[in-house]
Amino acid sequence: QEEFYKDQYDRTLDRKNEINASVSTPIGILTALIAGLYFETTNFDYGDTIWLCIVFSCIGLSTVFLIGCSIYHLIKAFSDFQNGYNYAYLNDTDILDQYYQGLLAYYQAQPNTTPASTETTAQKEFGAYILSELIKSAGINKKNNKAKIAERFQCHKFMIFALISLSLTIIPFGIDFAIHRGKDKIQKVKIESIVPVSLAAKLQDTSNKKQLKQQSHVKA
């Protein structure tokens, strides 16, 4: 039993490290999806064809929603927000040794005991304690790993949906690009009102500046 549950305990910790190491892949894919969506939304012309703008906006909003769901499940898979995933571990070796020495001292203090029987009884109880700790820790860690894998699966699922949705935005974006290809983007400026400034006022202001400048040079 001890060998079996120790193997299970070690496997749960290895599985935990494997799950945590897999975070880089979805982060990279989500970053690429966000970059692609940002490029399309900033280069799309919203002021031309109405139906094309509506189709692109609807698909773009659905892509944003799917990316948000994927990020939500990714965060939940690795932090579970406030609660977190509390993995169980065996105590440090010095604490375990103190517990064993305490067992020895306890049974040595009992009447009608021999050193051999005391050590045998202490080892038996210590082994039972280690076994119970391995069972408890392996069970807690396995449940945490299952929860993290489930959240990671949801993250991957929404990430695939977001990729499909982003691929659909290429259709209206490509049509818009083909329509406006080769056209120069000209910014139109409209002057609403003109403030009249007389030429005499301009000349007087220029002469005043020259006088002030000459005075400052003289003082220097």
Side-chain angles (χ1 to χ4, degrees):
Q1 274 189 312
E2 287 183 6
E3 188 175 344
F4 171 76
Y5 286 112
K6 185 181 182 303
D7 180 66
Q8 292 295 312
Y9 171 77
D10 293 336
R11 284 174 180 268
T12 57
L13 295 181
D14 291 339
R15 186 61 172 160
K16 171 202 168 187
N17 296 330
E18 178 187 342
I19 296 171
N20 291 339
S22 65
V23 66
S24 58
T25 301
I27 287 178
I29 296 175
L30 287 171
T31 303
L33 291 175
I34 294 172
L37 183 63
Y38 176 79
F39 174 79
E40 289 186 353
T41 52
T42 52
N43 288 275
F44 188 84
D45 191 350
Y46 298 92
D48 245 358
T49 310
I50 297 178
W51 68 269
L52 199 64
C53 179
I54 293 174
V55 172
F56 179 80
S57 299
C58 291
I59 302 176
L61 289 174
S62 65
T63 306
V64 172
F65 172 76
L66 293 170
I67 291 176
C69 291
S70 181
I71 294 174
Y72 167 80
H73 287 288
L74 179 64
I75 296 174
K76 197 173 180 183
F78 293 96
S79 67
D80 197 23
F81 297 115
Q82 295 181 353
N83 295 329
Y85 293 98
N86 295 319
Y87 280 80
Y89 303 93
L90 289 177
N91 283 322
D92 296 335
T93 54
D94 55 343
I95 297 176
L96 293 176
D97 185 64
Q98 288 177 8
Y99 177 75
Y100 177 70
Q101 297 300 328
L103 289 175
L104 282 176
Y106 172 77
Y107 286 112
Q108 286 172 357
Q110 300 301 318
N112 302 324
T113 56
T114 61
S117 63
T118 299
E119 188 173 354
T120 302
T121 307
Q123 287 180 355
K124 185 177 180 180
E125 187 168 341
F126 182 75
Y129 167 74
I130 292 296
L131 179 61
S132 65
E133 289 294 304
L134 287 173
I135 293 172
K136 181 184 71 174
S137 300
I140 293 173
N141 297 345
K142 204 164 190 177
K143 290 182 180 68
N144 287 338
N145 287 339
K146 286 182 179 179
K148 294 178 77 169
I149 290 173
E151 294 295 339
R152 189 181 63 174
F153 171 78
Q154 294 296 325
C155 168
H156 290 171
K157 182 180 73 174
F158 283 105
M159 193 164 54
I160 292 172
F161 291 159
L163 179 61
I164 296 173
S165 180
L166 183 64
S167 301
L168 293 176
T169 59
I170 297 177
I171 299 174
F173 179 80
I175 296 174
D176 178 77
F177 179 78
I179 293 174
H180 298 90
R181 183 175 58 184
K183 292 184 179 179
D184 295 331
K185 293 185 178 181
I186 302 173
Q187 294 183 352
K188 298 180 180 180
V189 179
K190 183 179 180 182
I191 300 175
E192 297 290 342
S193 62
I194 300 175
V195 180
V197 179
S198 64
L199 182 61
K202 289 183 178 180
L203 293 174
Q204 184 178 0
D205 182 63
T206 305
S207 63
N208 290 335
K209 287 182 178 178
K210 287 182 178 179
Q211 290 177 1
L212 290 173
K213 189 174 181 182
Q214 289 174 358
Q215 291 175 4
S216 64
H217 283 311
V218 170
K219 289 180 181 180

